[in-house]
Amino acid sequence: MSGLRQIATEPESLDSKALDGKMERSPRLRHHTKSHSERISDSELSTETNSLSAESNNENGRSPVKSTPSGLDLHQQVKTKQRRRGAEWEIIDSFKNLQGGDQVPSTLEGVLLKKRKWPLKGWHKRYFVLEKGSLMYAKRSADLARGKPHGSVDLGLSVISAKRRRCRIDIDAEVFIYHIKVKSREEFGQWLEALKEHRQFRQQQLQSREAAQKMVASPVLSPCNRDEMSPTGVGGLHVSTSFGTAESLMPMSREGSLMRSLKPSRANMLLSESSAALEQLNNDIVSAQERLIHLVKCAGAWSHSSDSQSTTGNISPATKKDRKKFVLRRKKNKSNTSTNSAEPPASASMSESESANINVALHDKHSPLSCSIPSLSPSMNGSSATEMLAPPMSDCNMLSPTDPGHDFLNGAQDLIGRITTCLRTLNHERERLKLVIETATETSSISSRNGATLQRDGGVAVPSMVASLRCALHMAVQQNNELRARLQKIRSEAEVAIEGPNLTMSLELDLNASARLGHHSLSYSSSCVSQSEFFDAKEYLTDVAASDSSSDASETEMEGENEAEEEGSVSEASEMGNEASNDPESPEPVVKCTTGRRTKLPAPKPSTEDLSLWNLMKRNIGKDLSKVSMPVVLNEPIGMLQRLSEELEYSELLDKASETEDPYERMVLIAAFAVSAYGSSHVRAGHKPFNPLLGETYECVREDKGFKYISEQVSHHPPISACYASSENFEFWQDIRIKTKFWGKSMEFQPLGTVNVRLPRYEDHYRWNKVTTCVHNLFGGQRWVDQYGDLIITNNKGIRCKLNFAKASYWSSNRYEVVGSVTDPDGKLVHHLFGKWCEGLYCGVAPSARCVWRPGALPEDHEHYYGFSRFAIELNDLEPSLVDVLPPTDSRFRPDQRLLEEGNVPGAEASKLQLEQAQRERRIANEQRGIKHEPRWFRCTASNSVADEDGEKWEFAHTYWDARAQSKFRDMNLIRLW
Ligand SMILES: CC(C)CCC[C@@H](C)[C@H]1CC[C@H]2[C@@H]3CC=C4C[C@@H](O)CC[C@]4(C)[C@H]3CC[C@]12C
């Protein structure tokens, strides 16, 4: 590790602790991580020229080439400089031994410089107060005194890094990353020390709370309390089972959080109750076991004495028969413990070894006992246990208190009691676990079942919630009716034509406000129909009323969809019909496949639970992540070239634009298309695409959508992907290079390059930039994606569209929001646009806002399949007809991706390393021979200045499809990548 002073770890007790713990138990992954970190340590450092996907490209670090062509010397120098720069950042350690942090550290306050949030340019003075583990700031100290901070950070959950030389401190607090500068060296030291102290204090606080929470098996805590205990909802206190629903991970947002967090929390509550009960059960079983051993001894004695009795003929034949029965039964049931079937099974001599056996079975957590709880037969009850273990009653009746059998009988009865209790507990737990499973599934299940879900769920913890939801909906229905009536009146009086959904904005907002709690979570997972939908509320609410508040969300969704079609919005589900059927009648959603391609990936995503990403990443703050090889489990089974083709998922918008007369309308559709590129990232924060190898290509021919797409990895350092797509109606091309910044808890991806769309029919040429993507909560359970910045679309007619992607914030509900405007060449506003990049884009203002685009529904089990949409599922499908048509460089032939797709992680890992190594060797060989790699299908034009990162343009050479048509790939001596 060159130079970076390693004094840091992630808040140990929080996010990463569990992962680390698991690492210890997973030698395979430990091995992987080790080899990865070794590779990391070889890698180059750079703070500036980061690129997308942290893949291994440590060629330079390993290159045996000593004398490089002179052109590379400068490059080398720059690298060295960058290396030094990267090395200056120190990460503030979290204290492994959190002792002595319980004393409240003294408060520190003063003026510091804070970098502006967005764009990250310029510094301003702010007044900071560091108190009880949190850092607050405001413009003036008076604001803080009045309890009105502008921002505040929980230091216990943040990653702090510092650069002494520049008196800089960065605090990555999940949603926000604060960049702070201290005026003088002395003050810097003071602040840094204080920050460390406060962080330790806060972490200690969180840790003891966590411990307390574990101890007090949670029934005491209401689900809501639990969530509130963690102000940021992360760091091990908040456990959410829903994948990718970023809202549930947006801790401070109160909007709908109650409803969303309820189920997972309830599941947690049930689970911890269950584990307490199981603990008790274990104790019971242990004592029952002791009892059993005792009993066995008694039985031995008893059997001896009864044998002697029988020899004296004092026992009836019936009793003998019964006793035999008992012995046989025991033999049958405890055959594994009985050594000699001729012997009475329960002899005193078995106790040592057998009790050891029983012990093992009871204490081994993998024993069938602990595993079989859910499958425990409900029919198995106390009486069957009685039958198995107790002597027949006829025997008991005959025993006198002095009989050795008396002891046995007492013991047996006691044992029966104990076992019955255990069974009861087990049955109870089984029910509870069933509930947990239901709760968990319901959280992510499609909304068509939601009415029922709520009802069932309401049985234990949610009735008041359901009642209040019903109440809210009822009120909304009433309000709607009133407003509708008023609107009707106004309409008939004024005869004003009102376009689009005939509701006022205020109603929409009312509706949203009142129904937000329930409605959002009701319909979320199946269709992204959500609070920002502007579908006709009449139908929706009438439906709700008609079904007596137990709304059928699938109908809601259909309403929404029809409406969208009427309104001219484009969505995959509505237009392609490629998703689960919304027919509430059909029990199983029907998967319609209009493309003939596969509808499912071969295997679900592997678990990343054992992976300590933090261990891997902590040494890389400030490094160029393109040089860091990441374990393959962090990948989704497609490459960046394929991921980029997903930007054409909603190409219908371009088709529509090419048929639209009005140039401003066209711009609106182009804007929707630009926003739609981000639609899928919402549920895809967990994995990154594979970094394409230099020379790798990917084509995507979609006859159904009428376009063909081709892309190539044209540069490796920095990684640049170029792509081109064409259809009857449009041309689309872009070259993209992604700068990556790693802040400690989050990673920022800043794509450079321009997206181009040409509509030949109108001679329109549109260009736009990309906004920044940020993956938050990298090391916590669930990562979530934010996208922010301005996306500006211009065209050759002087029409402009500016779209602002809002940065998520704790305090406002603007997360994922996009707001924009279309202006004419004079800068006059023509259209207003608004919506959410993960939910849809609307044009206009209320009451006539219309939906221009919304994402299609995701497959039902998308959480287990990398969050892939149907479009994404199809990308890596190697149809037999394509095998002989595609060039060998096509991503579909890439073995590591294929292996990952099939769920073979070790195979994928090995293959990935091999491919990367081969690439390294190719590069070294090329360097030695002075050969520069020339992309095959794209050419570089207009590179005026290397400093101007956007100076390079990659243009499609228009030779690919001809070569393909003439089956020329085989003779072309294309680069062998695998
Ligand atoms: C550590 C790990 C798992 C991080 C995962 C990062 C993933 C989610 C990041 C890495 C690069 C990102 C991509 C970078 C560029 C673009 C192009 C843009 O037009 C749409 C979004 C898109 C496609 C981003 C989606 C999210 C993305 C794929």
Side-chain angles (χ1 to χ4, degrees), residues 52 613 630 634 636 640 643-644 647 677-678 681 684-689 736 738 747 749 751 770 773 775 778 783 785 787:
L52 151 71
L613 187 55
M630 300 271 227
L634 277 184
E636 49 185 18
M640 190 61 189
R643 181 75 148 101
L644 286 176
E647 295 190 17
Y678 296 93
S681 23
R684 303 268 288 272
H687 302 87
K688 56 183 271 307
I736 181 165
I738 298 160
M747 229 187 254
F749 302 89
K770 295 279 165 98
T773 299
V775 180
L778 273 177
R783 299 176 197 122
V785 171
Q787 335 247 11

Side-chain angles (χ1 to χ4, degrees), residues 6 41 95 121 176 212 237 250 253 349 351 364 369 491 528 530 596 620 655 726 728 735 737 748 784 819 865 907 930:
Q6 181 54 53
S41 59
F95 299 82
K121 278 178 196 142
F176 286 128
L237 294 178
M250 294 292 296
S253 67
S349 62
S351 62
D364 180 358
L369 176 73
R491 243 196 214 167
C528 284
S530 77
N620 294 290
D655 296 326
S726 53
E728 239 182 39
D735 41 22
R737 165 181 167 197
E748 255 182 1
W784 59 277
V819 178
Y865 291 87

Side-chain angles (χ1 to χ4, degrees), residues 200-500:
Q200 179 179 11
F201 165 75
R202 180 70 185 131
Q203 284 185 355
Q204 158 119 51
Q205 225 179 22
L206 289 170
Q207 204 178 42
S208 44
R209 237 184 242 189
E210 200 178 8
Q213 221 180 345
K214 273 188 198 138
M215 278 173 59
V216 183
S218 57
V220 197
L221 288 167
S222 82
C224 310
N225 286 346
R226 294 184 125 224
D227 283 345
E228 262 145 35
M229 281 185 76
S230 158
T232 61
V234 292
L237 294 178
H238 174 103
V239 186
S240 169
T241 48
S242 64
F243 167 90
T245 48
E247 292 94 329
S248 66
L249 311 167
M250 294 292 296
M252 294 287 280
S253 67
R254 288 285 162 253
E255 181 190 293
S257 67
L258 190 59
M259 192 60 194
R260 271 193 294 278
S261 60
L262 183 76
K263 285 184 179 174
S265 299
R266 180 152 176 259
N268 296 339
M269 192 181 75
L270 288 167
L271 272 176
S272 51
E273 276 174 16
S274 200
S275 68
L278 288 173
E279 186 70 25
Q280 181 57 45
L281 184 69
N282 197 46
N283 294 340
D284 288 349
I285 291 176
V286 169
S287 66
Q289 177 207 348
E290 279 159 14
R291 208 65 204 151
L292 181 64
I293 292 164
H294 174 75
L295 207 56
V296 162
K297 283 179 186 162
C298 288
W302 177 53
S303 117
H304 285 306
S305 74
S306 56
D307 277 353
S308 56
Q309 265 183 18
S310 83
T311 47
T312 58
N314 285 346
I315 203 153
S316 76
T319 315
K320 264 194 212 161
K321 204 173 143 205
D322 276 343
R323 206 177 284 157
K324 213 168 170 188
K325 232 197 268 171
F326 167 56
V327 171
L328 278 177
R329 268 201 208 103
R330 281 207 49 121
K331 257 193 240 165
K332 241 189 203 163
N333 291 299
K334 307 278 288 172
S335 57
N336 55 339
T337 54
S338 176
T339 40
N340 182 356
S341 56
E343 281 282 299
S347 73
S349 62
M350 63 80 81
S351 62
E352 289 297 3
S353 62
E354 284 188 358
S355 72
N357 275 346
I358 299 170
N359 249 315
V360 171
L362 289 173
H363 290 289
D364 180 358
K365 69 187 172 81
H366 300 298
S367 74
L369 176 73
S370 53
C371 297
S372 64
I373 296 166
S375 59
L376 193 81
S377 156
S379 65
M380 186 178 163
N381 52 34
S383 68
S384 52
T386 318
E387 231 186 294
M388 280 194 289
L389 288 165
M393 285 318 276
S394 52
D395 273 341
C396 305
N397 295 338
M398 297 179 69
L399 297 171
S400 74
T402 51
D403 206 289
H406 184 250
D407 226 351
F408 179 89
L409 183 62
N410 280 345
Q413 269 163 354
D414 178 66
L415 190 60
I416 292 163
R418 281 165 202 267
I419 289 173
T420 315
T421 317
C422 290
L423 284 168
R424 237 182 253 139
T425 317
L426 277 174
N427 273 331
H428 190 82
E429 287 324 297
R430 202 169 62 110
E431 288 313 309
R432 205 202 307 253
L433 288 171
K434 260 204 223 154
L435 241 161
V436 172
I437 292 163
E438 267 168 30
T439 312
T441 355
E442 279 160 14
T443 309
S444 60
S445 71
I446 58 165
S447 53
S448 59
R449 287 172 39 223
N450 270 342
T453 302
L454 275 176
Q455 302 231 303
R456 230 178 310 150
D457 222 21
V460 192
V462 205
S464 63
M465 179 70 63
V466 175
S468 70
L469 274 172
R470 281 193 179 152
C471 186
L473 278 169
H474 187 73
M475 273 165 60
V477 174
Q478 275 187 345
Q479 270 181 353
N480 178 41
N481 289 341
E482 273 169 34
L483 278 161
R484 193 168 283 278
R486 249 195 283 166
L487 200 62
Q488 204 63 47
K489 214 172 142 202
I490 297 170
R491 243 196 214 167
S492 57
E493 278 172 13
E495 287 190 358
V496 177
I498 299 172
E499 289 176 60

Side-chain angles (χ1 to χ4, degrees), residues 101-167:
D102 46 355
Q103 251 187 5
V104 183
S106 45
T107 305
L108 181 67
E109 48 192 288
V111 175
L112 300 174
L113 292 169
K114 189 184 144 297
K115 207 173 201 175
R116 282 178 61 198
K117 262 187 209 134
W118 184 261
L120 274 171
K121 278 178 196 142
W123 298 83
H124 39 208
K125 283 185 187 168
R126 289 291 175 265
Y127 196 82
F128 282 82
V129 173
L130 181 54
E131 195 176 24
K132 291 187 195 138
S134 64
L135 181 69
M136 289 159 285
Y137 76 91
K139 266 193 183 157
R140 286 167 295 269
S141 62
D143 296 338
L144 286 174
R146 271 188 286 134
K148 287 192 172 166
H150 203 177
S152 89
V153 180
D154 183 337
L155 292 173
L157 302 172
S158 310
V159 173
I160 307 175
S161 43
K163 197 189 246 179
R164 281 179 197 276
R165 203 168 55 84
R166 296 206 186 166
C167 295

